[in-house]
Amino acid sequence: MKKYNYTAKTFEEAKNMALADLMDTQENLYIKEIESTNKLFSKKSVIEVIKRDDVIEHIKEMIKEMTHLMGVEIKLECKKREDNVTFTIFSENNAILIGKNARTLDAMTTIIKQALNVELGEYFKFVLDVSEYKEKQHRFIERAAKQTAKEVVRTQVEAKLEPMNSFERRLVHNALTNFKGVYTESVGTEPHRCVVIKPGEKKENETTEE
């Protein structure tokens, strides 16, 4: 992954140098200070900059390398959005890439996220999918949440959903944000944390805890 270094007296000056040189906006750059000196007669800030597009290309290479080591030939599709990037793998060996209960797919995602955290020093939002498996799962979760919410409205009895990861819980919260007559809360601790759908309206001091 290509990195650019800039040196100036202050972090802001170094950042402005990077923005001008790379002709890009701060939203498309990952900037971290790797050296800082703040003495009376010696001030210096050294920053390391990585472009968002270079991060995306790096993720593609990691996916290709992992699937190659698994002995699976793939085609890779990338969809860029303002706040997210989705990488979708297509192959004739989807079962191998997904794994039981999506464990292989989740493991690949975790490896990439950890590698990026080391390189960038911050979180890079992306989704790794295989033949739209996760997209279908997400749609199923949203539909199931709305069906359960209807039952909660009808019976006025709260419902606790199955344990989910943070992304899946957020899907439920978002799906029911404007659903009249219910509100949602996350309860429990990982890996058993889950969403509870409750009848009524959310009180001011209550949060989804996400």
Side-chain angles (χ1 to χ4, degrees):
M1 188 158 36
K2 191 170 183 180
K3 300 177 181 179
Y4 304 84
N5 286 0
Y6 296 90
T7 303
K9 289 184 177 181
T10 67
F11 174 82
E12 284 298 319
E13 288 178 359
K15 183 183 73 175
N16 289 334
M17 287 174 61
L19 295 175
D21 182 51
L22 298 175
M23 294 184 290
D24 213 332
T25 63
Q26 188 171 340
E27 290 75 20
N28 289 326
L29 301 176
Y30 290 85
I31 304 172
K32 66 178 178 180
E33 192 171 46
I34 58 176
E35 184 181 340
S36 178
T37 302
N38 190 13
K39 297 179 181 178
L40 184 60
F41 298 107
S42 178
K43 292 184 178 181
K44 183 175 73 171
S45 175
V46 182
I47 63 171
E48 181 180 86
V49 183
I50 302 175
K51 299 176 72 172
R52 184 172 185 262
D53 286 344
D54 289 336
V55 176
I56 291 172
E57 290 303 313
H58 184 59
I59 294 174
K60 288 180 182 178
E61 291 305 313
M62 283 193 284
I63 293 170
K64 291 175 183 177
E65 178 66 19
M66 283 190 285
T67 53
H68 174 72
L69 292 173
M70 295 167 70
V72 178
E73 292 186 7
I74 69 163
K75 290 185 179 179
L76 187 61
E77 180 183 275
C78 176
K79 291 183 179 179
K80 301 178 187 179
R81 299 180 178 87
E82 287 187 4
D83 62 340
N84 200 356
V85 184
T86 299
F87 300 90
T88 305
I89 302 171
F90 297 93
S91 82
E92 295 181 358
N93 298 278
N94 290 340
I96 294 174
L97 294 171
I98 295 170
K100 186 177 181 181
N101 296 324
R103 288 175 185 168
T104 303
L105 181 55
D106 288 342
M108 292 172 63
T109 302
T110 299
I111 290 169
I112 295 171
K113 284 183 177 179
Q114 290 177 342
L116 292 178
N117 283 340
V118 172
E119 292 285 348
L120 303 177
E122 60 181 285
Y123 177 71
F124 183 87
K125 193 173 181 180
F126 74 94
V127 174
L128 178 59
D129 204 351
V130 174
S131 294
E132 299 181 340
Y133 167 83
K134 283 204 168 183
E135 185 175 335
K136 293 172 185 174
Q137 289 293 101
H138 296 162
R139 287 200 295 265
F140 173 80
I141 289 172
E142 290 172 344
R143 286 197 302 268
K146 290 178 180 179
Q147 289 173 355
T148 304
K150 289 179 182 177
E151 283 299 303
V152 171
V153 171
R154 185 180 67 82
T155 63
Q156 291 297 293
V157 177
E158 67 180 45
K160 182 183 289 187
L161 304 182
E162 293 294 318
M164 299 177 181
N165 60 40
S166 60
F167 182 83
E168 292 168 339
R169 294 195 303 271
R170 194 154 50 245
L171 284 175
V172 175
H173 293 309
N174 291 341
L176 300 180
T177 296
N178 297 316
F179 199 101
K180 293 182 179 180
V182 301
Y183 65 99
T184 58
E185 286 184 356
S186 289
V187 299
T189 56
E190 302 290 2
H192 305 294
R193 193 163 172 79
C194 62
V195 177
V196 178
I197 302 175
K198 298 185 176 184
E201 301 296 330
K202 183 167 65 176
K203 299 175 183 177
E204 290 185 4
N205 62 342
E206 292 175 325
T207 67
T208 60
E209 299 181 45
E210 289 301 339

